[in-house]
Amino acid sequence: MDPVLLLDVLLLILAVLAAVAAMLQRDLLGSVMLMGIYSLLMAVIWANLFAMDVSFTEASVGAGAATVLLLMALTRIGTRERSGGDHSLPALVLVVLTGVVLLYGTSELPRFGDPQAPAQLHIAPRYLAQDIGKVSDSATPQDSPHGEGDFGHHVPNTVTAVLASYRGYDTMFETAVIFSAGMCLLLLLRPIPRRSPETVTIDESGSTSHQKSESVVLRTIGGMLIPYILVFGFYVQMHGEIGPGGGFQAGVLVAAAFILHSLLFGRAATDRWLPRWLVDLAMSLGVLLYAGTGVACMAMGGHFLDYSALDRVHPAEAEALGMTLVEAGVGLTVASVVLTIVRKVQGGTR
Amino acid sequence: MNAELLAALLVLGGALLAGVRSVLGPTFYDRVLAVNVFGTKAVMLLAIIGFIGDRSGFLDIAILYGLINFIATVALLRFVESGRYSS
Protein backbone atom coordinates (compact mmCIF):
# COMPACT_ATOMS: atom_id res chain seq x y z
CA MET A 1 0.00 0.00 0.00
CA ASP A 2 1.11 3.51 -0.73
CA PRO A 3 2.76 4.83 2.47
CA VAL A 4 1.37 8.34 2.00
CA LEU A 5 -2.17 7.04 1.62
CA LEU A 6 -1.87 4.66 4.56
CA LEU A 7 -0.56 7.44 6.82
CA ASP A 8 -3.32 9.73 5.58
CA VAL A 9 -6.04 7.27 6.55
CA LEU A 10 -4.57 6.67 10.01
CA LEU A 11 -4.03 10.40 10.65
CA LEU A 12 -7.55 11.28 9.54
CA ILE A 13 -9.02 8.65 11.87
CA LEU A 14 -6.95 10.08 14.73
CA ALA A 15 -8.07 13.62 13.87
CA VAL A 16 -11.74 12.62 13.95
CA LEU A 17 -11.21 10.86 17.29
CA ALA A 18 -9.49 13.95 18.72
CA ALA A 19 -12.30 16.22 17.52
CA VAL A 20 -15.01 13.98 19.02
CA ALA A 21 -13.07 13.68 22.29
CA ALA A 22 -12.74 17.49 22.43
CA MET A 23 -16.50 17.84 22.08
CA LEU A 24 -17.38 15.18 24.67
CA GLN A 25 -14.97 16.63 27.22
CA ARG A 26 -16.90 18.49 29.94
CA ASP A 27 -13.79 20.18 31.27
CA LEU A 28 -13.10 23.09 28.91
CA LEU A 29 -9.38 23.13 29.67
CA GLY A 30 -9.23 19.51 28.51
CA SER A 31 -11.09 20.55 25.36
CA VAL A 32 -8.49 23.22 24.67
CA MET A 33 -5.71 20.64 24.97
CA LEU A 34 -7.51 18.21 22.68
CA MET A 35 -8.03 20.99 20.15
CA GLY A 36 -4.25 21.51 20.25
CA ILE A 37 -3.77 17.84 19.41
CA TYR A 38 -6.38 18.10 16.67
CA SER A 39 -4.59 21.02 15.09
CA LEU A 40 -1.24 19.21 15.29
CA LEU A 41 -2.81 16.29 13.45
CA MET A 42 -4.32 18.54 10.80
CA ALA A 43 -0.93 20.15 10.18
CA VAL A 44 0.64 16.74 9.64
CA ILE A 45 -2.23 15.75 7.32
CA TRP A 46 -1.80 18.92 5.25
CA ALA A 47 1.92 18.27 5.05
CA ASN A 48 1.24 14.69 4.02
CA LEU A 49 -0.90 16.02 1.17
CA PHE A 50 2.03 18.27 0.17
CA ALA A 51 0.01 21.39 1.02
CA MET A 52 3.08 22.85 2.69
CA ASP A 53 1.87 26.41 3.06
CA VAL A 54 -1.44 25.36 4.56
CA SER A 55 0.40 23.07 6.95
CA PHE A 56 2.66 25.94 7.95
CA THR A 57 -0.32 28.15 8.67
CA GLU A 58 -2.09 25.45 10.66
CA ALA A 59 1.08 24.82 12.64
CA SER A 60 1.75 28.44 13.53
CA VAL A 61 -1.86 29.46 14.15
CA GLY A 62 -3.03 26.24 15.79
CA ALA A 63 -0.08 25.71 18.09
CA GLY A 64 1.02 29.28 18.62
CA ALA A 65 -1.95 31.59 18.64
CA ALA A 66 -5.19 29.59 18.91
CA THR A 67 -4.38 27.75 22.15
CA VAL A 68 -3.33 30.99 23.86
CA LEU A 69 -6.42 32.74 22.56
CA LEU A 70 -8.73 29.97 23.84
CA LEU A 71 -7.02 30.07 27.24
CA MET A 72 -7.50 33.84 27.40
CA ALA A 73 -11.18 33.26 26.72
CA LEU A 74 -11.30 30.65 29.51
CA THR A 75 -9.96 33.17 32.03
CA ARG A 76 -13.17 35.10 31.37
CA ILE A 77 -15.76 32.34 31.19
CA GLY A 78 -14.36 29.69 33.55
CA THR A 79 -13.43 26.09 32.81
CA ARG A 80 -16.63 24.21 33.60
CA GLU A 81 -19.13 23.51 30.86
CA ARG A 82 -22.73 24.10 31.95
CA SER A 83 -24.40 20.74 32.12
CA GLY A 84 -27.00 19.66 29.59
CA GLY A 85 -30.58 20.67 28.96
CA ASP A 86 -29.84 22.78 25.90
CA HIS A 87 -29.94 20.08 23.25
CA SER A 88 -32.33 20.78 20.42
CA LEU A 89 -33.74 17.92 18.36
CA PRO A 90 -34.53 20.00 15.22
CA ALA A 91 -30.96 21.26 15.21
CA LEU A 92 -29.66 17.68 15.34
CA VAL A 93 -31.88 16.66 12.42
CA LEU A 94 -30.74 19.69 10.44
CA VAL A 95 -27.06 18.97 11.08
CA VAL A 96 -27.42 15.29 10.15
CA LEU A 97 -29.30 16.23 6.97
CA THR A 98 -26.63 18.74 5.99
CA GLY A 99 -23.97 16.11 6.62
CA VAL A 100 -25.78 13.59 4.41
CA VAL A 101 -26.13 16.17 1.62
CA LEU A 102 -22.44 17.03 1.86
CA LEU A 103 -21.46 13.35 1.78
CA TYR A 104 -23.71 12.87 -1.23
CA GLY A 105 -21.98 15.82 -2.87
CA THR A 106 -18.56 14.24 -2.46
CA SER A 107 -19.61 11.32 -4.65
CA GLU A 108 -19.62 13.73 -7.58
CA LEU A 109 -16.08 14.90 -6.87
CA PRO A 110 -13.18 13.51 -8.91
CA ARG A 111 -11.17 10.79 -7.23
CA PHE A 112 -8.29 11.78 -4.92
CA GLY A 113 -5.24 12.60 -7.04
CA ASP A 114 -7.05 12.07 -10.34
CA PRO A 115 -4.85 13.63 -13.06
CA GLN A 116 -7.95 14.20 -15.21
CA ALA A 117 -9.70 16.31 -12.57
CA PRO A 118 -10.78 19.76 -13.80
CA ALA A 119 -8.52 21.38 -11.21
CA GLN A 120 -5.49 19.83 -12.90
CA LEU A 121 -6.52 20.74 -16.43
CA HIS A 122 -7.77 24.32 -16.47
CA ILE A 123 -5.13 26.94 -15.67
CA ALA A 124 -3.20 25.00 -13.03
CA PRO A 125 -0.54 23.75 -15.50
CA ARG A 126 0.15 27.31 -16.55
CA TYR A 127 0.42 28.46 -12.94
CA LEU A 128 2.78 25.58 -12.21
CA ALA A 129 4.94 26.35 -15.23
CA GLN A 130 4.60 30.05 -14.40
CA ASP A 131 4.63 30.88 -18.08
CA ILE A 132 1.95 33.53 -17.81
CA GLY A 133 2.75 36.91 -16.43
CA LYS A 134 0.01 39.05 -14.99
CA VAL A 135 0.92 41.66 -17.55
CA SER A 136 2.96 41.02 -20.71
CA ASP A 137 5.97 38.83 -19.92
CA SER A 138 6.63 39.85 -16.35
CA ALA A 139 6.64 36.35 -14.88
CA THR A 140 8.15 34.43 -17.75
CA PRO A 141 10.92 32.09 -16.65
CA GLN A 142 13.95 33.34 -18.49
CA ASP A 143 17.70 33.19 -18.45
CA SER A 144 18.86 35.12 -15.46
CA PRO A 145 21.61 37.69 -15.79
CA HIS A 146 22.99 36.42 -12.49
CA GLY A 147 23.66 32.88 -13.69
CA GLU A 148 22.89 29.61 -11.92
CA GLY A 149 21.13 29.55 -8.59
CA ASP A 150 19.08 32.57 -9.44
CA PHE A 151 15.59 31.74 -10.51
CA GLY A 152 15.15 34.46 -13.11
CA HIS A 153 11.56 35.54 -12.89
CA HIS A 154 10.47 32.09 -11.81
CA VAL A 155 9.32 31.72 -8.22
CA PRO A 156 9.96 28.16 -6.98
CA ASN A 157 7.07 28.16 -4.52
CA THR A 158 4.03 28.26 -6.78
CA VAL A 159 1.73 29.08 -3.87
CA THR A 160 3.61 32.30 -3.23
CA ALA A 161 3.63 33.11 -6.94
CA VAL A 162 -0.13 32.71 -7.14
CA LEU A 163 -0.71 34.52 -3.85
CA ALA A 164 1.52 37.53 -4.38
CA SER A 165 1.55 37.90 -8.15
CA TYR A 166 -1.27 36.27 -10.12
CA ARG A 167 -3.79 36.85 -7.35
CA GLY A 168 -2.18 39.97 -5.92
CA TYR A 169 -5.48 41.84 -5.70
CA ASP A 170 -7.14 39.05 -3.71
CA THR A 171 -4.31 38.97 -1.23
CA MET A 172 -4.38 42.73 -0.86
CA PHE A 173 -8.03 42.65 0.12
CA GLU A 174 -7.42 39.67 2.42
CA THR A 175 -4.88 41.84 4.19
CA ALA A 176 -7.45 44.60 4.31
CA VAL A 177 -9.97 42.19 5.84
CA ILE A 178 -7.48 41.21 8.56
CA PHE A 179 -6.82 44.90 9.14
CA SER A 180 -10.54 45.65 9.52
CA ALA A 181 -10.87 42.70 11.93
CA GLY A 182 -8.17 44.31 14.07
CA MET A 183 -9.88 47.69 13.86
CA CYS A 184 -13.25 46.18 14.85
CA LEU A 185 -11.66 44.56 17.90
CA LEU A 186 -10.12 47.86 18.93
CA LEU A 187 -13.54 49.48 18.69
CA LEU A 188 -15.66 46.67 20.17
CA LEU A 189 -13.63 45.27 23.04
CA ARG A 190 -13.42 48.31 25.23
CA PRO A 191 -11.99 48.00 28.71
CA ILE A 192 -14.43 46.47 31.17
CA PRO A 193 -15.88 49.16 33.44
CA ARG A 194 -15.58 48.24 37.13
CA ARG A 195 -19.20 47.74 38.05
CA SER A 196 -19.85 44.51 39.86
CA PRO A 197 -17.51 43.12 42.52
CA GLU A 198 -17.00 40.10 40.27
CA THR A 199 -15.42 42.21 37.55
CA VAL A 200 -13.10 43.84 40.04
CA THR A 201 -11.69 40.50 41.14
CA ILE A 202 -11.01 39.60 37.53
CA ASP A 203 -9.22 42.87 37.03
CA GLU A 204 -7.15 42.63 40.16
CA SER A 205 -6.10 39.01 40.08
CA GLY A 206 -5.37 39.51 36.42
CA SER A 207 -5.66 37.03 33.61
CA THR A 208 -3.05 34.46 32.67
CA SER A 209 -0.28 36.80 31.74
CA HIS A 210 -0.78 39.97 33.71
CA GLN A 211 1.81 38.98 36.24
CA LYS A 212 5.12 37.47 35.27
CA SER A 213 6.16 33.90 35.80
CA GLU A 214 8.18 33.17 38.92
CA SER A 215 9.93 30.12 37.51
CA VAL A 216 13.61 30.82 36.84
CA VAL A 217 13.96 27.78 34.56
CA LEU A 218 11.00 28.81 32.45
CA ARG A 219 12.16 32.40 32.13
CA THR A 220 15.73 31.43 31.21
CA ILE A 221 14.84 28.77 28.66
CA GLY A 222 11.94 30.76 27.23
CA GLY A 223 14.04 33.88 27.02
CA MET A 224 16.64 31.95 25.05
CA LEU A 225 13.98 30.60 22.71
CA ILE A 226 12.43 33.96 21.78
CA PRO A 227 15.30 35.21 19.54
CA TYR A 228 15.25 31.92 17.64
CA ILE A 229 11.53 32.19 17.02
CA LEU A 230 12.01 35.75 15.75
CA VAL A 231 14.89 34.74 13.48
CA PHE A 232 12.89 31.81 12.16
CA GLY A 233 9.95 34.16 11.55
CA PHE A 234 12.23 36.45 9.58
CA TYR A 235 13.49 33.47 7.58
CA VAL A 236 9.94 32.36 6.80
CA GLN A 237 9.09 35.92 5.78
CA MET A 238 12.01 36.37 3.39
CA HIS A 239 12.20 32.77 2.17
CA GLY A 240 8.51 32.46 1.33
CA GLU A 241 9.07 32.46 -2.41
CA ILE A 242 11.43 29.47 -2.21
CA GLY A 243 10.31 27.34 0.73
CA PRO A 244 6.96 27.02 2.43
CA GLY A 245 5.71 30.06 4.28
CA GLY A 246 5.29 33.74 3.61
CA GLY A 247 3.86 36.84 5.18
CA PHE A 248 0.84 35.26 6.87
CA GLN A 249 2.81 32.51 8.59
CA ALA A 250 5.72 34.77 9.51
CA GLY A 251 3.33 37.30 11.00
CA VAL A 252 1.77 34.72 13.30
CA LEU A 253 5.22 33.42 14.28
CA VAL A 254 6.50 36.86 15.24
CA ALA A 255 3.31 37.52 17.19
CA ALA A 256 3.78 34.16 18.95
CA ALA A 257 7.27 35.22 20.04
CA PHE A 258 5.86 38.34 21.69
CA ILE A 259 2.99 36.34 23.24
CA LEU A 260 5.59 34.01 24.78
CA HIS A 261 7.47 37.05 26.06
CA SER A 262 4.39 38.42 27.77
CA LEU A 263 3.60 34.99 29.23
CA LEU A 264 7.05 34.80 30.79
CA PHE A 265 7.86 38.35 31.76
CA GLY A 266 4.44 39.93 32.15
CA ARG A 267 2.58 42.29 29.90
CA ALA A 268 4.24 45.43 31.16
CA ALA A 269 7.68 44.17 30.10
CA THR A 270 6.41 43.34 26.62
CA ASP A 271 4.87 46.78 26.34
CA ARG A 272 8.27 48.27 27.07
CA TRP A 273 9.85 46.31 24.22
CA LEU A 274 6.97 46.78 21.87
CA PRO A 275 4.96 49.90 22.69
CA ARG A 276 1.28 49.66 22.00
CA TRP A 277 1.25 52.60 19.60
CA LEU A 278 3.82 50.76 17.49
CA VAL A 279 1.52 47.74 17.17
CA ASP A 280 -1.38 49.98 16.20
CA LEU A 281 0.83 51.76 13.69
CA ALA A 282 2.19 48.52 12.18
CA MET A 283 -1.37 47.31 11.65
CA SER A 284 -2.15 50.07 9.17
CA LEU A 285 1.42 50.35 7.90
CA GLY A 286 1.25 46.82 6.49
CA VAL A 287 -1.81 47.55 4.37
CA LEU A 288 -0.23 50.85 3.32
CA LEU A 289 2.94 49.03 2.24
CA TYR A 290 0.94 46.56 0.17
CA ALA A 291 -1.23 49.13 -1.55
CA GLY A 292 1.72 51.52 -1.77
CA THR A 293 3.68 48.95 -3.76
CA GLY A 294 0.78 48.82 -6.19
CA VAL A 295 0.67 52.60 -6.46
CA ALA A 296 4.45 52.72 -6.93
CA CYS A 297 4.07 50.34 -9.87
CA MET A 298 1.51 52.72 -11.34
CA ALA A 299 3.79 55.69 -10.77
CA MET A 300 6.53 53.93 -12.70
CA GLY A 301 4.32 53.38 -15.69
CA GLY A 302 2.85 49.93 -15.09
CA HIS A 303 -0.52 48.72 -13.96
CA PHE A 304 -1.55 48.46 -10.30
CA LEU A 305 0.62 45.72 -8.70
CA ASP A 306 2.38 45.03 -12.01
CA TYR A 307 5.79 44.33 -10.51
CA SER A 308 7.57 44.43 -13.87
CA ALA A 309 7.26 48.22 -13.65
CA LEU A 310 9.73 48.13 -10.75
CA ASP A 311 12.45 47.16 -13.23
CA ARG A 312 13.92 50.62 -13.00
CA VAL A 313 14.57 50.28 -9.27
CA HIS A 314 16.06 46.82 -9.41
CA PRO A 315 16.58 45.48 -12.93
CA ALA A 316 15.82 41.79 -13.51
CA GLU A 317 14.65 41.35 -9.92
CA ALA A 318 11.50 43.42 -10.21
CA GLU A 319 9.13 40.52 -9.58
CA ALA A 320 11.04 39.37 -6.50
CA LEU A 321 11.27 42.93 -5.17
CA GLY A 322 7.55 43.50 -5.57
CA MET A 323 6.66 40.20 -3.93
CA THR A 324 9.02 40.83 -1.02
CA LEU A 325 7.51 44.26 -0.36
CA VAL A 326 3.98 42.93 -0.58
CA GLU A 327 4.74 39.97 1.71
CA ALA A 328 6.36 42.32 4.20
CA GLY A 329 3.14 44.30 4.26
CA VAL A 330 1.12 41.14 4.89
CA GLY A 331 3.51 40.07 7.65
CA LEU A 332 3.33 43.43 9.43
CA THR A 333 -0.45 43.52 9.42
CA VAL A 334 -0.92 39.90 10.47
CA ALA A 335 1.60 40.11 13.31
CA SER A 336 0.13 43.28 14.77
CA VAL A 337 -3.49 42.14 14.38
CA VAL A 338 -2.80 38.79 16.10
CA LEU A 339 -1.06 40.65 18.93
CA THR A 340 -3.98 43.06 19.18
CA ILE A 341 -6.51 40.22 19.29
CA VAL A 342 -4.68 38.38 22.08
CA ARG A 343 -4.18 41.60 23.99
CA LYS A 344 -7.81 42.62 23.69
CA VAL A 345 -9.18 39.22 24.68
CA GLN A 346 -6.83 38.76 27.61
CA GLY A 347 -6.97 42.18 29.12
CA GLY A 348 -9.86 43.64 31.04
CA THR A 349 -7.92 46.87 31.24
CA ARG A 350 -6.39 48.88 28.49
CA MET B 1 6.81 -2.84 4.27
CA ASN B 2 9.83 -0.60 4.13
CA ALA B 3 11.75 0.79 7.08
CA GLU B 4 10.58 4.40 6.76
CA LEU B 5 6.92 3.44 6.79
CA LEU B 6 7.48 1.17 9.77
CA ALA B 7 9.16 4.03 11.63
CA ALA B 8 6.28 6.36 10.78
CA LEU B 9 3.72 3.82 12.00
CA LEU B 10 5.61 3.27 15.25
CA VAL B 11 5.78 7.01 15.90
CA LEU B 12 2.08 7.24 15.10
CA GLY B 13 1.43 4.47 17.59
CA GLY B 14 3.32 6.42 20.24
CA ALA B 15 1.29 9.50 19.38
CA LEU B 16 -1.90 7.47 19.77
CA LEU B 17 -0.85 6.37 23.26
CA ALA B 18 -0.10 9.99 24.19
CA GLY B 19 -3.48 10.97 22.79
CA VAL B 20 -5.25 8.35 24.92
CA ARG B 21 -3.42 9.67 27.98
CA SER B 22 -4.49 13.23 27.16
CA VAL B 23 -8.14 12.12 27.31
CA LEU B 24 -7.89 9.83 30.34
CA GLY B 25 -5.05 11.52 32.24
CA PRO B 26 -6.21 11.62 35.84
CA THR B 27 -4.55 14.93 36.64
CA PHE B 28 -4.05 18.09 34.63
CA TYR B 29 -0.27 17.56 34.52
CA ASP B 30 -0.63 14.16 32.85
CA ARG B 31 -2.59 15.85 30.11
CA VAL B 32 -0.14 18.69 29.58
CA LEU B 33 2.68 16.18 29.36
CA ALA B 34 0.64 14.08 26.90
CA VAL B 35 0.00 17.11 24.66
CA ASN B 36 3.69 17.95 24.78
CA VAL B 37 4.67 14.39 23.87
CA PHE B 38 2.14 14.47 21.07
CA GLY B 39 3.81 17.60 19.69
CA THR B 40 7.20 15.90 19.77
CA LYS B 41 5.77 12.91 17.92
CA ALA B 42 4.33 15.26 15.31
CA VAL B 43 7.80 16.74 14.76
CA MET B 44 9.24 13.23 14.29
CA LEU B 45 6.40 12.21 11.99
CA LEU B 46 6.88 15.31 9.82
CA ALA B 47 10.59 14.58 9.48
CA ILE B 48 9.89 10.96 8.49
CA ILE B 49 7.17 11.88 5.99
CA GLY B 50 9.55 14.44 4.50
CA PHE B 51 12.12 11.67 4.14
CA ILE B 52 9.60 9.36 2.47
CA GLY B 53 8.43 12.03 0.05
CA ASP B 54 11.94 13.43 -0.38
CA ARG B 55 10.88 16.99 0.41
CA SER B 56 13.07 19.35 2.40
CA GLY B 57 10.20 21.73 3.16
CA PHE B 58 8.93 19.32 5.80
CA LEU B 59 11.91 20.12 7.98
CA ASP B 60 10.85 23.78 8.07
CA ILE B 61 7.49 22.75 9.49
CA ALA B 62 9.19 20.38 11.95
CA ILE B 63 11.45 23.22 13.17
CA LEU B 64 8.43 25.48 13.46
CA TYR B 65 6.76 22.91 15.71
CA GLY B 66 9.85 22.45 17.80
CA LEU B 67 9.83 26.19 18.49
CA ILE B 68 6.10 26.79 18.84
CA ASN B 69 4.98 23.70 20.75
CA PHE B 70 6.65 25.22 23.80
CA ILE B 71 4.33 28.25 23.79
CA ALA B 72 1.12 26.24 24.14
CA THR B 73 2.61 24.26 27.04
CA VAL B 74 3.78 27.42 28.81
CA ALA B 75 0.38 29.04 28.30
CA LEU B 76 -1.43 26.00 29.73
CA LEU B 77 0.81 25.83 32.79
CA ARG B 78 0.60 29.56 33.41
CA PHE B 79 -3.16 29.29 33.25
CA VAL B 80 -3.16 26.71 36.01
CA GLU B 81 -0.52 28.58 37.99
CA SER B 82 -2.73 31.66 38.05
CA GLY B 83 -5.20 29.60 40.10
CA ARG B 84 -8.19 29.88 37.83
CA TYR B 85 -8.54 26.15 37.36
CA SER B 86 -10.08 23.71 39.78
CA SER B 87 -10.58 20.15 38.65
Side-chain angles (χ1 to χ4, degrees):
Chain A
M1 196 176 181
D2 183 33
V4 174
L5 193 61
L6 180 63
L7 283 177
D8 251 350
V9 170
L10 290 175
L11 284 168
L12 276 170
I13 291 173
L14 270 182
V16 170
L17 286 180
V20 170
M23 274 189 293
L24 293 179
Q25 188 73 243
R26 305 304 290 181
D27 177 12
L28 291 179
L29 194 59
S31 289
V32 169
M33 283 187 248
L34 284 166
M35 283 312 289
I37 285 184
Y38 172 76
S39 118
L40 277 165
L41 279 167
M42 283 315 288
V44 181
I45 290 170
W46 292 127
N48 205 23
L49 291 170
F50 284 151
M52 307 301 277
D53 289 81
V54 185
S55 174
F56 229 83
T57 314
E58 180 72 47
S60 47
V61 174
T67 307
V68 177
L69 202 60
L70 287 174
L71 283 175
M72 301 288 174
L74 285 193
T75 60
R76 293 199 161 197
I77 62 173
T79 55
R80 300 305 292 181
E81 188 176 342
R82 230 192 357 221
S83 53
D86 46 2
H87 299 296
S88 153
L89 191 65
L92 181 70
V93 172
L94 201 65
V95 166
V96 169
L97 271 181
T98 315
V100 169
V101 169
L102 285 176
L103 280 177
Y104 176 70
T106 56
S107 65
E108 296 276 308
L109 290 177
R111 278 174 52 80
F112 175 65
D114 183 5
Q116 296 303 314
Q120 319 281 4
L121 296 177
H122 185 43
I123 46 173
R126 301 178 66 196
Y127 279 153
L128 286 173
Q130 292 184 31
D131 64 348
I132 40 168
K134 279 195 308 105
V135 179
S136 64
D137 58 353
S138 60
T140 313
Q142 52 186 243
D143 292 330
S144 155
H146 303 302
E148 283 296 314
D150 185 273
F151 300 100
H153 284 175
H154 189 82
V155 176
N157 186 351
T158 312
V159 177
T160 308
V162 171
L163 186 128
S165 189
Y166 298 126
R167 299 276 173 132
Y169 294 177
D170 293 14
T171 312
M172 187 179 87
F173 286 109
E174 274 166 28
T175 317
V177 164
I178 295 172
F179 171 70
S180 12
M183 291 307 289
C184 292
L185 265 176
L186 282 178
L187 292 172
L188 284 175
L189 290 186
R190 305 238 166 172
I192 299 173
R194 299 185 170 216
R195 273 174 313 206
S196 58
E198 217 179 4
T199 328
V200 175
T201 44
I202 287 181
D203 276 358
E204 279 169 1
S205 66
S207 54
T208 336
S209 62
H210 273 188
Q211 74 278 51
K212 61 183 183 182
S213 166
E214 296 302 325
S215 163
V216 177
V217 175
L218 204 54
R219 278 159 67 185
T220 312
I221 300 293
M224 278 164 62
L225 208 56
I226 288 171
Y228 288 104
I229 298 179
L230 285 174
V231 167
F232 192 69
F234 190 68
Y235 158 76
V236 170
Q237 171 81 57
M238 304 309 285
H239 208 245
E241 54 194 68
I242 300 166
F248 286 99
Q249 293 88 341
V252 179
L253 256 175
V254 169
F258 284 107
I259 291 171
L260 180 61
H261 188 274
S262 76
L263 281 173
L264 294 174
F265 302 101
R267 225 165 86 185
T270 312
D271 281 349
R272 267 201 304 282
W273 282 100
L274 190 73
R276 217 159 293 182
W277 60 266
L278 199 63
V279 179
D280 292 348
L281 187 70
M283 208 154 82
S284 42
L285 210 61
V287 182
L288 186 70
L289 187 58
Y290 201 129
T293 309
V295 174
C297 292
M298 281 167 78
M300 292 188 184
H303 293 82
F304 188 69
L305 286 176
D306 169 18
Y307 306 132
S308 58
L310 296 172
D311 249 344
R312 261 180 267 163
V313 186
H314 207 318
E317 299 279 348
E319 191 86 1
L321 177 66
M323 281 192 189
T324 308
L325 284 174
V326 159
E327 290 271 6
V330 173
L332 265 180
T333 300
V334 169
S336 43
V337 167
V338 169
L339 270 178
T340 308
I341 291 175
V342 169
R343 215 165 236 175
K344 280 288 157 190
V345 174
Q346 94 182 111
T349 50
R350 208 173 263 248
Chain B
M1 188 186 283
N2 49 0
E4 297 95 40
L5 184 58
L6 188 65
L9 288 179
L10 284 176
V11 170
L12 205 59
L16 179 67
L17 291 178
V20 168
R21 193 39 70 189
S22 75
V23 178
L24 296 179
T27 70
F28 164 79
Y29 300 100
D30 295 316
R31 292 179 171 185
V32 170
L33 193 60
V35 172
N36 208 358
V37 168
F38 203 94
T40 317
K41 298 293 176 211
V43 172
M44 301 291 296
L45 201 58
L46 280 169
I48 295 172
I49 294 175
F51 188 76
I52 293 176
D54 200 19
R55 292 278 192 111
S56 61
F58 279 82
L59 287 183
D60 281 3
I61 303 179
I63 293 171
L64 173 79
Y65 257 131
L67 290 172
I68 290 289
N69 195 25
F70 185 64
I71 296 180
T73 311
V74 171
L76 282 167
L77 290 173
R78 296 280 293 120
F79 181 80
V80 172
E81 194 185 39
S82 68
R84 323 200 117 261
Y85 176 69
S86 50
S87 55

